[in-house]
Amino acid sequence: MFTTTGSRGLYKAPLSKSLLLVLNGLTVMLTLLPQYQQLFMYNLQAVTQQHQVWRSLCGRLVCLDVKDSFCSSLLIYNFRIFERRFGTRKFASFLLGTWCLSALVDFLLAQAFQFLFDYEVEELPAGLLAPVFSLFVPFYLSIPRMPVTQVLGHIQITNKSLVYVVGLQLLTSSPFMWLLALSGLISGGLYHSNFLRLQKILFVPAWVSRIGRYILEPLFSSSQPSSETPLGMGATLDIQRQQRMDLLDQQLLLAQYNEARRNARHQPQAGLLQWTRLFPSLRHRGQNRPPMQPRPQAQTHQSTQPTLDNSPVAEEQVARLVEMGFSRIDALEALRASNNDINMATNFLLQH
């Protein structure tokens, strides 16, 4: 669904995994126990007038609305790429810094709104919402935008469009969600630009990071999908097939990006959404694949590892796929990619 983050799941993202599991688990518990929801409401009036400062902590962690929890979870899952790229400690420091900054910015924006429109903001949506919105700042600045297709010849669909759609859905879920979104964007911009050396002031200490590495990371870390894992020959072949299909997908995405850049000004697009560019047939994959370089004979004789490209294809499996309605060329390509596994080849053909 999110094409910018790859297909490794939550590997090397223990903090993102812990946020998804713990916060969503608390949301479900509070939904089943509504008598305790009062403790987790983000009530600004209670913080300022009754000096209940603890509400700034409890009210800005757990979502009380299931829809807000679902949308924020989708965004956290997508933004896990920053934890992989920068490391868990820097990712945690960004969330901590923007969480602290947004607490101050929330209060300032509420006071400004009351001054301009003579309306007091008493309560804001609860949850880890402002730090989630703050992650749109590095997402906009750091993640490259690659065109996928066009709608009506003018509206361009990119690999980042769906993320913005989910963010817009979260933005329109509550009346004062815009205030948290603006607070998060301001906090994210200040922390990302290192304004007043905020990254040196608000950060996760090294000793806290070590405690999390030895205590929390074993609970929430995900294992690496490696062919060296002793799971048996079947698991090894499955991993090799998955890696090969992932490589084909990466090559196809790169070829589509280069082709879109070349033909952006020369091929006017008209009509509705072009699904053939989103899901090209398998015969086009061979055209986008880079040409194979000839290998020296010495290396060919010394190599003992069999490749999946030279694996024979059973004719009866090709006939079964042709009977299902697929072309022979597509069936051959799918069987080679799946190492003659007809179930995986069928799923591969249905998805592409």
Side-chain angles (χ1 to χ4, degrees):
M1 182 178 64
F2 296 107
T3 59
T4 60
T5 57
S7 58
R8 291 186 175 182
L10 291 166
Y11 173 62
K12 288 187 177 180
L15 179 59
S16 301
K17 185 177 182 179
S18 63
L19 290 176
L20 291 174
L21 294 178
V22 174
L23 297 184
N24 286 317
L26 291 175
T27 300
V28 174
M29 290 178 58
L30 292 176
T31 303
L32 299 177
L33 302 172
Q35 63 270 22
Y36 296 102
Q37 292 185 1
Q38 189 72 23
L39 300 175
F40 292 90
M41 290 183 177
Y42 188 19
N43 194 323
L44 288 178
Q45 188 176 14
V47 174
T48 56
Q49 297 181 5
Q50 302 176 14
H51 305 289
Q52 298 179 0
V53 185
W54 56 271
R55 289 190 177 274
S56 298
L57 175 63
C58 298
R60 303 179 69 246
L61 287 179
V62 184
C63 292
L64 299 180
D65 192 341
V66 178
K67 183 173 62 176
D68 293 347
S69 178
F70 178 74
C71 292
S72 60
S73 298
L74 288 178
L75 294 175
I76 291 175
Y77 180 79
N78 178 76
F79 292 146
R80 76 196 187 281
I81 187 176
F82 297 117
E83 185 174 2
R84 292 177 182 167
R85 179 177 298 183
F86 304 118
T88 302
R89 183 186 176 189
K90 288 186 177 180
F91 183 68
S93 298
F94 184 89
L95 292 178
L96 176 64
T98 54
W99 186 83
C100 296
L101 288 174
S102 59
L104 177 61
V105 178
D106 289 348
F107 175 76
L108 295 178
L109 290 177
Q111 294 297 319
F113 186 82
Q114 181 179 2
F115 177 78
L116 293 175
F117 301 99
D118 196 19
Y119 182 86
E120 184 178 3
V121 180
E122 298 182 359
E123 186 176 336
L124 292 175
L128 195 72
L129 299 173
V132 171
F133 280 111
S134 68
L135 288 169
F136 276 99
V137 175
F139 179 75
Y140 177 79
L141 297 176
S142 304
I143 303 300
R145 183 174 62 92
M146 296 191 300
V148 177
T149 186
Q150 289 184 347
V151 179
L152 303 177
H154 301 286
I155 304 175
Q156 193 175 68
I157 304 298
T158 68
N159 59 330
K160 301 168 67 173
S161 300
L162 185 58
V163 182
Y164 292 128
V165 170
V166 177
L168 184 62
Q169 174 65 35
L170 182 61
L171 178 64
T172 57
S173 62
S174 301
F176 285 101
M177 185 66 74
W178 64 268
L179 193 146
L180 293 178
L182 182 59
S183 173
L185 293 177
I186 294 175
S187 303
L190 293 175
Y191 194 87
H192 187 267
S193 62
N194 200 15
F195 180 73
L196 297 178
R197 302 179 65 85
L198 288 173
Q199 297 181 8
K200 300 293 183 181
I201 301 174
L202 300 174
F203 65 94
V204 175
W207 63 272
V208 176
S209 179
R210 286 193 295 268
I211 293 176
R213 184 182 303 114
Y214 290 111
I215 297 179
L216 298 180
E217 188 171 352
L219 298 176
F220 298 104
S221 61
S222 300
S223 60
Q224 179 182 5
S226 173
S227 58
E228 299 178 355
T229 304
L231 298 177
M233 182 61 68
T236 302
L237 293 177
D238 290 340
I239 292 171
Q240 291 177 354
R241 288 193 291 263
Q242 184 63 38
Q243 289 176 349
R244 185 175 183 273
M245 284 188 281
D246 288 344
L247 180 61
L248 290 176
D249 289 336
Q250 293 175 4
Q251 292 175 351
L252 176 63
L253 185 61
L254 181 60
Q256 286 181 342
Y257 177 55
N258 294 331
E259 181 183 0
R261 292 187 61 184
R262 290 194 302 266
N263 302 332
R265 298 183 180 179
H266 303 285
Q267 294 184 357
Q269 304 291 334
L272 296 177
L273 185 66
Q274 298 182 356
W275 296 101
T276 56
R277 296 186 61 189
L278 285 171
F279 305 100
S281 62
L282 287 172
R283 62 176 62 92
H284 293 145
R285 288 175 172 257
Q287 300 174 4
N288 293 329
R289 194 178 301 163
M292 299 294 295
Q293 298 294 333
R295 298 182 180 177
Q297 284 188 348
Q299 296 181 0
T300 304
H301 292 295
Q302 292 175 2
S303 177
T304 59
Q305 182 179 0
T307 60
L308 297 178
D309 291 333
N310 298 327
S311 58
V313 178
E315 267 313 308
E316 56 178 288
Q317 294 181 351
V318 177
R320 290 178 60 184
L321 292 176
V322 171
E323 291 176 359
M324 295 180 187
F326 304 110
S327 66
R328 181 178 177 81
I329 298 176
D330 293 354
L332 289 171
E333 183 70 17
L335 286 172
R336 290 193 186 99
S338 60
N339 197 20
N340 289 326
D341 190 336
I342 191 167
N343 294 325
M344 183 174 293
T346 305
N347 295 331
F348 191 65
L349 288 169
L350 292 174
Q351 293 175 4
H352 296 78

